[in-house]
Amino acid sequence: MRRSVVLSVAAVLAAACSAVYVASTASAAVACAPAWNASAVYVKDNVASKGGNNYTAKWWTQGEDPAVKSGQWDVWVNNGACGGVVNPSPSSSSPSPSKSPSPSASPSTSPSPSTSSSTPIPVGGLPKHALIGYLHASFANGAGYLRMADVPAEWDIINLSFGEPTTATSGDIRFTLCPATECPGVETEAEFIAAIKAKRAAGKKVLLSIGGANGQVQLTTTTARDRFVSSVSAIIDKYGLDGVDIDFEGHSLSLNTGDTDFKNPTTPVIVNLISAIKTLKARYGAGFVLTMAPETFFVQLGYQYYGSGPWGGQDPRAGSYLPVIHALRDDLTVLHVQDYNSGSIMGLDNQYHSMGGADFHIAMTDMMLAGFPVAGNTANVFPGLREDQVAFGAPSSVSAGNGHVAPAGVQQAVNCLVKGTDCGGYTPRSGLNPSFRGLMTWSINWDRFYGWEFKNSHEPFLNALG
């Protein structure tokens, strides 16, 4: 997708890595590793003990109790019971808790997770029905630049576009304000930070949107994963943000051949992304806001096709967001799939639906609320998300993306999903969804360019839903 048009998101599964903490002799029982310490930093493959069991860390963690966080999607693997004298120091195969290694050429503004302190993000504050938009903060296009302080109060979540990697596989995310030569009237960095602080004080959420059309992000290695965590943390801390929006597009996410189970992914770019996001959530606490804006190709197309398929030959990107969404469903704040720049997609009625009207919004959103069998396999069903986790994305104007729908059509779709009225020829399988979260648009800048039609039409409509 183009910068001047849209975005998409994404995110993914954690890989379990186990290690056995063995005693020094073959006849001895499995020895207990050093006791878990809530203030210590543990990285992948570190071992700690608690309550007579050894645990191995799957990724960077601090303060997460292994006796509690050792489920399928949690940070710790339970290696089983241990006994005997607690070892004074772990073996070389199970390194002692330490700071995450700093990748080469790490900028001083991007500390590693283990060396920087972050203030927990306050919990709550998001309205029942939210208006969500993307702000062109790092670049200019035909819509023009808009200062953060001038973003109208109606916007509940503001996604800063974009944080981009230094290279596709580095994991090193950078964010800078649009240069004055490109964006006349751009505020100073101090003014930008002050405006973010004011928005948050007013109850708004401000997120870093990562990726975009020019920001391919492929976390192919654990080094890239760890660099992603440290660099994103540095940006959140510097600007005082509430969380992140995952906008992985193009070839950022795809599934390796043979990776056919969305519940248990094995592809590194998927596994490492999930791990990285879970680490960020653990670092900032329950108030951390996570949104995603994938395109339909990466989500709803998974009803028919998943990855390269059981025999190969399919596009490996098909449905590749599903393992990310599923693994992070307990951490996800809002999923707002882009219902634009899309081909026709089969809905749960086994009919193809095309963008440009209420029908497409209804059918695509119903899939996320009701769930669906992946690649048609009724034994492998993607469970629906909670109502409050689901919104949908629509272009704010005809210039913002293909598939623009006039306000009346967008509101028809919402009324169908929330109240079951005016659904046209489609019957939602998810029933009524009174807690449906709201609407996302690309973009706030384009909405201003067209006289704020999206905001002025939909903000009072959402408020009136109750």
Side-chain angles (χ1 to χ4, degrees):
M1 144 188 80
R2 295 167 295 170
R3 265 186 167 184
S4 59
V5 186
V6 246
L7 36 109
S8 104
V9 227
V12 174
L13 258 225
C17 179
S18 60
V20 177
Y21 203 91
V22 295
S24 57
T25 66
S27 59
V30 175
C32 288
W36 174 74
N37 185 334
S39 62
V41 171
Y42 297 85
V43 296
K44 183 176 180 292
D45 293 340
N46 283 175
V47 181
S49 65
K50 184 175 183 183
N53 286 273
N54 278 333
Y55 298 87
T56 298
K58 301 178 192 175
W59 54 80
W60 185 97
T61 181
Q62 183 178 30
E64 293 185 281
D65 189 335
V68 177
K69 294 290 187 177
S70 58
Q72 184 179 8
W73 310 121
D74 292 316
V75 64
W76 294 98
V77 173
N78 188 338
N79 298 325
C82 62
V85 179
V86 174
N87 293 341
S89 62
S91 66
S92 59
S93 63
S94 298
S96 60
S98 61
K99 296 176 181 178
S100 301
S102 298
S104 60
S106 298
S108 59
T109 57
S110 298
S112 68
S114 58
T115 59
S116 65
S117 59
S118 303
T119 303
I121 296 170
V123 177
L126 197 62
K128 182 177 180 180
H129 305 295
L131 192 68
I132 304 164
Y134 288 78
L135 181 70
H136 312 174
S138 65
F139 64 94
N141 63 9
Y145 186 79
L146 178 63
R147 294 163 62 100
M148 171 60 73
D150 296 331
V151 174
E154 287 87 345
W155 298 97
D156 299 304
I157 298 180
I158 303 166
N159 291 323
L160 305 180
S161 308
F162 290 106
E164 299 177 346
T166 54
T167 66
T169 58
S170 69
D172 189 4
I173 305 300
R174 305 298 176 89
F175 173 80
T176 56
L177 278 176
C178 185
T181 53
E182 184 180 346
C183 297
V186 63
E187 65 267 60
T188 66
E189 192 170 71
E191 291 172 332
F192 184 69
I193 292 172
I196 291 174
K197 185 176 181 180
K199 289 292 181 189
R200 295 183 69 198
K204 310 305 177 183
K205 303 295 184 181
V206 185
L207 314 182
L208 174 68
S209 182
I210 304 171
N214 293 346
Q216 302 294 297
V217 183
Q218 299 170 347
L219 304 183
T220 56
T221 65
T222 55
T223 298
R225 175 202 66 193
D226 294 344
R227 189 66 190 126
F228 179 90
V229 170
S230 62
S231 60
V232 170
S233 296
I235 296 169
I236 292 173
D237 294 344
K238 177 178 180 179
Y239 292 96
L241 305 179
D242 292 284
V244 297
D245 170 72
I246 303 300
D247 184 13
F248 285 14
E249 302 180 11
H251 290 272
S252 290
L253 292 182
S254 64
L255 294 156
N256 288 352
T257 301
D259 190 351
T260 58
D261 182 2
F262 77 91
K263 297 177 182 176
N264 297 285
T266 57
T267 304
V269 295
I270 303 291
V271 170
N272 289 331
L273 177 58
I274 294 169
S275 173
I277 298 301
K278 282 187 170 290
T279 299
L280 287 169
K281 179 63 179 284
R283 177 185 178 116
Y284 291 99
F288 182 80
V289 177
L290 171 64
T291 66
M292 304 180 195
E295 294 161 294
T296 58
F297 187 93
F298 299 98
V299 184
Q300 288 94 336
L301 185 63
Y303 179 48
Q304 290 182 278
Y305 309 103
Y306 186 70
S308 58
W311 303 284
Q314 297 173 186
D315 191 318
R317 298 172 298 164
S320 59
Y321 244 96
L322 293 176
V324 178
I325 298 168
H326 183 66
L328 295 170
R329 63 175 55 239
D330 291 339
D331 305 303
L332 179 66
T333 308
V334 188
L335 173 76
H336 33 62
V337 175
Q338 300 176 46
D339 288 355
Y340 46 93
N341 295 347
S342 172
S344 296
I345 301 290
M346 181 178 286
L348 297 179
D349 57 356
N350 292 326
Q351 302 298 312
Y352 283 95
H353 300 265
S354 299
M355 64 180 184
D359 174 78
F360 192 67
H361 291 311
I362 296 167
M364 294 301 99
T365 308
D366 185 46
M367 296 179 78
M368 307 318 301
L369 292 163
F372 55 87
V374 176
N377 183 358
T378 56
N380 196 27
V381 174
F382 175 84
L385 296 170
R386 299 192 316 266
E387 303 169 35
D388 63 287
Q389 292 179 301
V390 178
F392 65 74
S396 63
S397 65
V398 294
S399 297
N402 296 320
H404 174 258
V405 177
V410 172
Q411 293 175 15
Q412 177 189 343
V414 175
N415 279 327
C416 172
L417 294 164
V418 173
K419 303 176 182 179
T421 61
D422 202 12
C423 294
Y426 184 91
T427 302
R429 276 59 174 171
S430 58
L432 304 184
N433 301 279
S435 296
F436 170 76
R437 180 57 77 179
L439 297 171
M440 173 275 280
T441 194
W442 176 266
S443 65
I444 295 174
N445 303 62
W446 277 118
D447 194 34
R448 181 191 64 165
F449 188 87
Y450 280 85
W452 300 113
E453 180 185 71
F454 196 95
K455 169 184 72 69
N456 290 343
S457 299
H458 299 313
E459 195 269 345
F461 167 75
L462 291 173
N463 289 342
L465 288 176

